[in-house]
């Protein structure tokens, strides 16, 4: 146990024990709610051969995309390539192993991992390349494929507010994959915009209870916009 006070003061301390070959779960959707400073620390540490599980892989030059630039990711488990040209290039060139997973299935894989459920059946992907090599079962006249849960050595998460105990709130759509990833890491690290005293967060507004969180750190964030649309 990390103890009741989950605060750490440096990003180096936040990702202590992260080594080559580990599996990292990363919250965020596009550039919304991504743990950008924790990603930067992974880059600084120079760890290699990582398996990264996230909805997508950021964009060129920001978010998880910076780990592609330094060839730190061996395998990417994601729901889509997104706006990242380098991701597409490494995939097509065979430099990056990619497991494209339907978005809802990816979310459930992490949720199941956090809940201690080893696998589940889903109709999503049946009859498509997603189902190749997977167990198929017919239930009530409908075909389902078996999908295995995902757990990570580390989960890196972006929150809005947290208290010393690691209870976390997310802001609006930044909830996305963050609460799911937070439950499924052997070590879960959350970076937040503000750390408050215990008791300041309304219990009914806490999204991730501190029991799932090992370390929290307060940071500052660029919050870059992935695609800006303007109307005259």
């Amino acid at each position: 146990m990390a103890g009741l006070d989950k605060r750490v003061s440096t990003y180096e301390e936040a990702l202590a024990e992260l080594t080559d070959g580990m599996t990292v779960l990363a919250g965020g959707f596009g550039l919304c709610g991504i743990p950008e400073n924790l990603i930067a620390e992974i880059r600084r540490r120079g760890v290699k051969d990582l398996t990264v599980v996230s909805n997508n892989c950021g964009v060129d030059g920001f978010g998880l995309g910076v780990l592609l630039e330094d060839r730190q990711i061996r395998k990417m488990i994601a729901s889509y390539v997104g706006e990242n040209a380098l991701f597409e290039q490494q995939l097509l060139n065979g430099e990056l192993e990619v497991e494209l997973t339907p978005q809802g299935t990816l979310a459930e894989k992490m949720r199941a991992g956090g809940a201690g459920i080893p696998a589940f059946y889903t109709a999503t992907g049946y009859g498509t390349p997603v189902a190749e090599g997977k167990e198929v079962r017919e239930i009530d006249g409908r075909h389902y494929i078996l999908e295995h849960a995902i757990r990570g050595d580390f989960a890196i998460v972006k929150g809005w507010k947290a208290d010393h105990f690691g209870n976390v709130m997310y802001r609006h759509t930044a909830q996305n994959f963050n609460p799911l990833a937070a439950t499924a890491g052997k070590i879960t690290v959350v970076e937040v915009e503000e750390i408050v005293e215990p008791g300041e967060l309304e219990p009914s507004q806490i999204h991730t209870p501190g029991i799932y969180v090992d370390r929290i750190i307060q940071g500052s964030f660029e919050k870059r916009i992935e695609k800006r649309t303007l109307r005259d």
Side-chain angles (χ1 to χ4, degrees), residues 123 126 136-144:
Y126 174 73
V136 177
R137 184 172 179 180
E138 184 177 344
I139 302 174
D140 294 332
R142 190 176 186 187
H143 290 92
Y144 297 82

Side-chain angles (χ1 to χ4, degrees), residues 72-88:
Q72 291 175 264
I73 301 176
R74 178 187 62 81
K75 179 178 181 179
M76 189 72 207
I77 301 175
S79 72
Y80 73 109
V81 174
E83 305 292 327
N84 195 321
L86 183 58
F87 188 180
E88 179 181 15

